[in-house]
Amino acid sequence: MDSTRALATEAVHAGRDDLARQGLHAPPIDLSTTYPSYDSRGEAARIDAFATTGAEPEGPPVYGRLGNPTVARFETALARLEGTESAVAFASGMAALSAVLLVRASMGLRHVVAVRPLYGCSDHLLTAGLLGSEVTWTDPAGIADALRPDTGLVMVESPANPTLAEVDLRAVAHACGSVPLLADNTFATPVLQRPASLGARLVLHSATKYLGGHGDVMAGVVGCDEEFAGRLRQVRFATGGILHPLAGYLLLRGLATLPVRVQAASANAAELARRLTADRRVTRVHYPRIGGAMIAFEVAGDPHEVIADVNLITPAVSLGSVDTLIQHPASISHRIVDAEDRRGSGVSDRLLRLSVGLEDVEDLWADLDRALGTGPRPAGGAGNCASSHNAPAAADDHPTPMALRRW
């Protein structure tokens, strides 16, 4: 790999560097579940090696549950974009998180320190102890004091789902000491931040979101060092949470346009956040300092009426698609979280989460403006809402996205 490549260049070429030499342009899709081999002794040796270290078997593939060439291309590309040694893909983001927890539990490290808010199902998985884990919830300042001898993981999400709260990843990683930090980077993507460069040992994505980018693939992936990747592959093999090759192909294709999509959607989001901040029908706007395409805002009226009245914008769960989605976290994505815990982490009953897409911003605003209904109209200038949090700067004031910088 050329270390001087910009992220936008890596997004297009990572995982594809060998294609031209093979006389190919588009990556092939390998749908095989099994692979012929006339060397059973060799197969046994490779399987023994995998059982020992979890390293990808050398030579031709063996069986779809051990690995797949198309999925491996996506894993290579994601690792390059995140700046990690390896990456391991799974059938969903929750399968990826479950595998991480199982790896640590297998080492007798079942305790997790976590910072709210997290994605609702991640919160539930930890709180309910479904995989035998025990969680201590704390704020970033309390991480060091919450660590125990059996702590196997510290987990944060920044910007967080759904409030877009941000944490200082470098400071958090320092507080973790020798305990691995898992940073959920789903909202930011490597276009806006690379947690591994800030000290996180594990970088989690719900690849269903921005990495795929078109609402047509479900997947999860963990960027990490090769030692941890080996353990994750062993868990994936044993539990069967594998990614289908067609999904791997779609994700690799999605990565090629990731920087362009994130930049364009972020520009739309910054403008919508500015207008929402100036609107008296909105009591609070959450927009991260890092930028991005996600907005959360609290309305003075009934949030369910806003959901019911959008037309161009799609009322649906998930995020990161080319089209704009809106949802009410307290009813859907975070419904599974205890109401007191939910509100305590800033997820109010009037909060709406907007995943901004690639439509024309004027069309999006016209739809939002109508859905917000009657009431006090926009005041004509930013900062006139009753309470704002992380109110956006003008578009020109945003820092240069990672996609425009060289590594």
Side-chain angles (χ1 to χ4, degrees):
M1 183 190 83
D2 184 349
S3 61
T4 65
R5 284 180 179 176
L7 185 141
T9 303
E10 286 290 4
V12 172
H13 289 279
R16 302 173 176 84
D17 290 327
D18 63 326
L19 292 181
R21 292 189 298 274
Q22 297 183 53
L24 300 172
H25 187 226
I29 307 174
D30 187 332
L31 296 173
S32 299
T33 59
T34 192
Y35 299 86
S37 173
Y38 295 94
D39 181 9
S40 57
R41 291 186 182 89
E43 293 287 84
R46 294 201 293 152
I47 291 173
D48 286 348
F50 177 83
T52 301
T53 67
E56 294 181 287
E58 295 182 2
V62 178
Y63 183 56
R65 196 149 41 85
L66 272 82
N68 172 272
T70 306
V71 172
R73 289 182 180 278
F74 164 66
E75 292 171 330
T76 297
L78 191 278
R80 292 259 285 272
L81 293 181
E82 282 291 5
T84 58
E85 192 175 8
S86 300
V88 183
F90 294 85
S92 70
M94 292 308 301
L97 175 57
S98 296
V100 172
L101 294 174
L102 288 171
V103 165
R104 300 306 279 168
S106 72
M107 304 170 69
L109 302 170
R110 297 181 177 275
H111 180 239
V112 177
V113 175
V115 176
R116 280 188 171 121
L118 296 175
Y119 168 54
C121 286
S122 299
D123 188 309
H124 177 67
L125 181 64
L126 295 175
T127 301
L130 296 176
L131 298 178
S133 59
E134 177 187 351
V135 63
T136 296
W137 295 101
T138 185
D139 58 25
I143 288 174
D145 290 338
L147 298 178
R148 305 187 329 205
D150 63 338
T151 302
L153 193 69
V154 175
M155 182 172 181
V156 300
E157 185 175 356
S158 182
N161 188 353
T163 66
L164 305 177
E166 298 172 275
V167 300
D168 183 337
L169 290 176
R170 193 182 300 277
V172 168
H174 179 75
C176 292
S178 61
V179 177
L181 170 63
L182 170 66
D184 188 327
N185 203 33
T186 298
F187 277 22
T189 80
V191 176
L192 300 179
Q193 80 180 0
R194 292 192 297 158
S197 70
L198 302 173
R201 184 177 175 190
L202 307 166
V203 182
L204 173 69
H205 284 273
S206 172
T208 308
K209 315 305 193 295
Y210 288 104
L211 303 189
H214 294 76
D216 55 8
V217 59
M218 185 168 288
V221 64
V222 179
C224 56
D225 58 54
E226 176 56 27
E227 179 185 356
F228 205 99
R231 293 183 177 272
L232 287 173
R233 293 187 196 105
Q234 290 174 327
V235 169
R236 182 177 64 180
F237 172 73
T239 60
I242 61 172
L243 184 66
H244 191 274
L246 180 57
Y249 171 85
L250 291 173
L251 287 166
L252 186 63
R253 187 177 69 170
L255 288 184
T257 60
L258 178 66
V260 177
R261 287 187 286 105
V262 169
Q263 290 175 53
S266 297
N268 278 350
E271 175 60 19
L272 291 178
R274 185 188 69 80
R275 297 188 190 190
L276 288 167
T277 301
D279 198 311
R280 292 196 180 100
R281 296 168 295 179
V282 176
T283 60
R284 197 174 193 192
V285 173
H286 306 253
Y287 187 71
R289 293 178 180 87
I290 199 174
M294 298 298 300
I295 307 171
F297 60 99
E298 299 173 36
V299 295
D302 186 345
H304 300 286
E305 292 183 2
V306 178
I307 294 287
D309 288 343
V310 292
N311 184 21
L312 177 66
I313 297 169
T314 302
V317 298
S318 200
L319 57 108
S321 184
V322 290
D323 60 322
T324 300
L325 309 177
I326 192 170
Q327 66 119 328
H328 182 242
S331 294
I332 306 179
S333 64
H334 288 70
R335 188 67 179 179
I336 201 168
V337 179
D338 177 80
E340 184 176 345
D341 291 336
R342 188 171 66 231
R343 294 178 187 123
S345 61
V347 186
S348 78
D349 291 342
R350 292 186 181 273
L351 184 75
L352 293 170
R353 191 190 74 187
L354 189 69
S355 171
V356 182
L358 304 181
E359 303 93 337
D360 187 277
V361 71
E362 297 299 337
D363 291 330
L364 290 173
W365 176 247
D367 197 39
L368 266 182
D369 184 34
R370 184 185 52 78
L372 285 169
T374 59
R377 306 302 295 176
N384 291 311
C385 58
S387 174
S388 64
H389 174 69
N390 288 351
D396 291 342
D397 294 335
H398 281 284
T400 304
M402 280 289 296
L404 300 183
R405 306 176 193 164
R406 294 198 172 268
W407 292 2

